[in-house]
C-alpha cells in the first residue's frame, strides 16, 4: 500500500511539474513575465483568487458530504479529505475517471456500488449545470459574435442528446445494459430512493460552485485588463466550459483543450492570446494543482476501512 501511495504522489507531482515547466502552449518564463507585467502577484489579488478556490473546493466537499450522508454518516472534515485525496489520485486518469475508484475505496466493499452511484449523481449534477448555462451562453455567443459552430455545434448537440438519453430514455433495452454488475436500471432504482430534497441541494451547490469558478475566471480577465463587459465575459466563459465538457480527453490535455477553446472564443473580443493562455493556466493551477498538493497529504495518510 505504501508503494502505491508513493506512485500516486510521484505521478501527480511529475504531472504538475510537466504542465507548468513544459507547457506546449505557453512557455513558463513567458507565463511569469505576464504575471509580473500585469501585477497579478500581489497580496490582495492572490488572497482573493485563493479564497475563491477554497470556496470552490469547500462547496465540492460539502456536496460530497450531502451525497454520502444519504447512505452513511460522513463528517465535513472527512468529506474534504476524500474529495482532495480523490483529486490527487485521479489527476492523470482519463476524464478523472479514477476519482470514482479513489472515493469508493474509502468505504467498505458492501457500500462501494452505492458510493459509485452517488459520485455519478454528483458529477451529473455538475455537468447538467454546465450544459444549462453553457447552452444559453453558446446561443447568445452565436447571436452576438457569429461563431462558426460547424464542429463545436455538432459536438454540443451530441452531448445534449447523450444527457437526454441518460435521464429520459426508459426503454428496457437501455436500462438493462450492465457491466460487471452495474446497470442503468439499478442506478435508476437507486436514484428513485434518494430524497428529492437531497438531490435539489446537490444541484444548488453545483450551481453555486459553477458561479464561483466562472467569477474567478472573470476576475482574472479584469486583472489582466481584458476589455470585455461582465455579460459578454459570462457568455464566452459559459460557452468555453460547455464546449470543453463535450470533448472527452485524458486529463493531461485538459488545460490544453480549455486554453485552445478560450483563445478561440476570446479572440472575438480581441483579447491577447498569451494573456488568455495565462488565465487558463492560472485557473488550472488554482483549482487543480494546488488542491492536488494538499490532497497528497491525505493520500499519504490514507488507510483502508477496518472491514477490509
Amino acid at each position: 500500500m505504501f508503494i502505491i501511495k508513493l506512485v500516486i504522489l510521484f505521478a501527480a507531482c511529475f504531472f504538475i511539474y510537466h504542465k507548468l515547466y513544459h507547457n506546449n502552449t505557453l512557455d513558463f518564463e513567458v507565463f511569469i513575465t505576464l504575471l509580473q507585467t500585469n501585477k497579478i502577484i500581489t497580496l490582495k489579488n492572490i488572497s482573493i483568487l485563493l479564497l475563491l478556490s477554497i470556496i470552490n473546493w469547500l462547496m465540492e466537499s460539502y456536496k460530497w458530504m450531502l451525497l454520502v450522508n444519504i447512505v452513511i454518516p460522513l463528517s465535513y472534515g472527512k468529506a474534504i479529505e476524500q474529495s482532495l485525496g480523490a483529486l490527487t489520485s485521479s489527476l492523470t486518469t482519463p476524464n478523472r475517471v479514477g476519482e470514482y475508484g479513489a472515493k469508493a475505496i474509502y468505504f467498505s466493499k458492501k457500500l462501494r456500488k452505492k458510493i459509485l452511484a452517488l459520485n455519478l449523481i454528483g458529477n451529473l449534477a455538475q455537468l447538467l449545470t454546465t450544459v444549462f448555462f453553457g447552452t444559453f451562453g453558446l446561443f447568445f455567443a452565436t447571436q452576438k459574435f457569429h461563431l462558426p459552430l460547424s464542429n463545436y455545434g455538432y459536438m454540443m448537440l451530441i452531448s445534449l442528446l447523450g444527457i437526454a438519453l441518460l435521464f429520459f430514455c426508459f426503454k428496457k433495452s437501455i436500462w438493462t445494459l450492465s457491466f460487471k454488475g452495474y446497470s442503468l436500471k439499478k442506478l435508476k432504482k437507486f436514484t428513485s430512493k434518494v430524497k428529492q430534497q437531497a438531490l435539489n441541494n446537490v444541484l444548488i451547490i453545483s450551481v453555486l460552485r459553477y458561479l464561483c469558478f466562472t467569477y474567478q475566471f472573470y476576475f482574472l480577465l479584469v486583472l489582466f485588463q481584458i476589455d470585455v463587459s461582465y455579460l459578454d465575459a459570462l457568455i464566452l466563459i459559459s460557452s468555453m466550459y460547455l464546449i470543453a465538457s463535450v470533448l472527452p480527453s485524458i486529463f493531461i490535455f485538459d488545460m490544453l483543450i480549455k486554453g485552445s477553446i478560450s483563445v478561440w472564443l476570446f479572440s472575438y473580443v480581441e483579447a491577447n492570446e498569451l494573456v488568455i493562455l495565462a488565465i487558463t493556466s492560472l485557473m488550472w493551477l488554482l483549482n487543480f494543482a494546488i488542491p492536488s498538493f494538499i490532497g497528497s497529504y491525505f493520500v499519504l495518510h490514507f488507510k483502508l476501512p477496518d472491514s477490509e
Side-chain angles (χ1 to χ4, degrees), residues 181-195:
Y182 300 92
S183 68
L184 293 178
K185 184 177 181 180
K186 290 182 179 179
L187 176 62
K188 180 185 175 184
K189 183 178 179 181
F190 175 75
T191 305
S192 65
K193 295 180 180 179
V194 178
K195 293 183 179 179

Side-chain angles (χ1 to χ4, degrees), residues 133-168:
F133 286 105
T135 301
F136 283 101
L138 199 57
F139 172 77
F140 288 114
T142 56
Q143 299 299 309
K144 183 163 187 176
F145 302 109
H146 307 290
L147 303 183
L149 289 174
S150 56
N151 293 326
Y152 292 120
Y154 287 127
M155 286 183 281
M156 183 195 72
L157 180 61
I158 292 172
S159 175
L160 294 176
L161 289 175
I163 293 173
L165 177 67
L166 182 62
F167 282 104
F168 303 112

Side-chain angles (χ1 to χ4, degrees), residues 85-267:
L87 171 66
T88 304
S89 302
S90 64
L91 197 62
T92 58
T93 59
N95 287 349
R96 284 181 55 202
V97 69
E99 177 193 28
Y100 287 90
K103 283 184 175 178
I105 203 172
Y106 280 97
F107 301 88
S108 61
K109 288 184 178 179
K110 65 180 181 180
L111 290 174
R112 285 178 185 170
K113 287 186 178 181
K114 291 182 178 179
I115 295 299
L116 289 171
L118 292 171
N119 197 18
L120 179 59
I121 291 172
N123 288 337
L124 286 176
Q126 201 65 58
L127 178 60
L128 186 62
T129 302
T130 301
V131 170
F132 176 79
F133 286 105
T135 301
F136 283 101
L138 199 57
F139 172 77
F140 288 114
T142 56
Q143 299 299 309
K144 183 163 187 176
F145 302 109
H146 307 290
L147 303 183
L149 289 174
S150 56
N151 293 326
Y152 292 120
Y154 287 127
M155 286 183 281
M156 183 195 72
L157 180 61
I158 292 172
S159 175
L160 294 176
L161 289 175
I163 293 173
L165 177 67
L166 182 62
F167 282 104
F168 303 112
C169 181
F170 293 96
K171 289 184 178 180
K172 186 176 181 181
S173 59
I174 296 295
W175 286 107
T176 54
L177 289 176
S178 63
F179 177 73
K180 293 186 177 181
Y182 300 92
S183 68
L184 293 178
K185 184 177 181 180
K186 290 182 179 179
L187 176 62
K188 180 185 175 184
K189 183 178 179 181
F190 175 75
T191 305
S192 65
K193 295 180 180 179
V194 178
K195 293 183 179 179
Q196 187 62 45
Q197 185 59 48
L199 294 176
N200 291 340
N201 290 337
V202 168
L203 190 57
I204 290 171
I205 295 172
S206 297
V207 172
L208 292 175
R209 183 170 178 244
Y210 182 89
L211 296 176
C212 179
F213 59 71
T214 51
Y215 177 77
Q216 187 180 40
F217 198 105
Y218 171 73
F219 182 67
L220 284 169
L221 290 173
V222 173
L223 291 183
F224 279 97
Q225 300 178 18
I226 300 297
D227 186 18
V228 58
S229 68
Y230 181 63
L231 181 59
D232 286 348
L234 287 183
I235 289 173
L236 294 173
I237 293 169
S238 60
S239 299
M240 175 199 70
Y241 281 118
L242 174 62
I243 296 171
S245 68
V246 175
L247 300 173
S249 69
I250 297 177
F251 193 61
I252 292 174
F253 303 109
D254 183 69
M255 188 167 67
L256 175 62
I257 290 173
K258 283 190 173 69
S260 301
I261 296 170
S262 300
V263 167
W264 170 61
L265 288 172
F266 281 92
S267 67

